[in-house]
Amino acid sequence: MNFQKAVRMLAWNHAITRTALAAGLLAAPSTVGRSWLGDGIDTGGGDVALRALAVRDLVLGVGTLSALGSKAPVRRWFQLGVAVEIVELAAIKRRKRELGPAVGAWTAVTAMGAVGGAMVALAITDDQEPT
């Protein structure tokens, strides 16, 4: 397998994972989000914020999948994803003590998403045929 095929496979997996997590957050925000955000998820503000976060990731995931399946540029979707994950990580760091019991695991997932997304953004070429 050549390098660009491997990068595109990583891109597909990253986009599918983002989309699946977003769908889970939309379908069951309280169940999925409580371990990350704590009991504040049950408040009106917590529910709204988590659903907005889920829609953000759903748009990024579906947009990336759409670009990967067509001849549209892909790199910008990963650049946007990395940008929002950096903001998210900064916000988590600022309020970490007030968040849920699994905040460390959620932080690791977010950091891995940022690192993986950055790797794809740096390595992918947008002149490939759809895969």
Side-chain angles (χ1 to χ4, degrees):
M1 175 182 303
N2 72 31
F3 179 71
Q4 274 305 304
K5 278 194 179 256
V7 170
R8 291 184 79 77
M9 185 184 312
L10 177 61
W12 275 99
N13 289 331
H14 191 282
I16 289 166
T17 301
R18 180 184 295 278
T19 303
L21 284 171
L25 286 172
L26 276 174
S30 184
T31 302
V32 176
R34 182 173 281 105
S35 65
W36 178 28
L37 298 176
D39 291 333
I41 190 59
D42 292 322
T43 67
D47 182 67
V48 169
L50 192 55
R51 286 178 188 273
L53 179 76
V55 169
R56 174 202 80 181
D57 279 329
L58 190 64
V59 168
L60 286 169
V62 171
T64 303
L65 290 170
S66 177
L68 283 163
S70 69
K71 291 184 179 185
V74 176
R75 178 176 287 126
R76 66 179 161 218
W77 288 103
F78 283 93
Q79 292 168 332
L80 290 168
V82 170
V84 298
E85 286 161 349
I86 288 170
V87 171
E88 188 175 315
L89 286 166
I92 290 169
K93 182 178 181 196
R94 183 170 175 242
R95 299 287 193 171
K96 189 173 184 175
R97 285 179 275 167
E98 301 167 42
L99 299 176
V103 66
W106 281 99
T107 302
V109 167
T110 303
M112 287 187 293
V115 169
M119 289 171 45
V120 171
L122 290 170
I124 201 161
T125 58
D126 281 335
D127 59 354
Q128 300 294 312
E129 290 295 314
T131 54

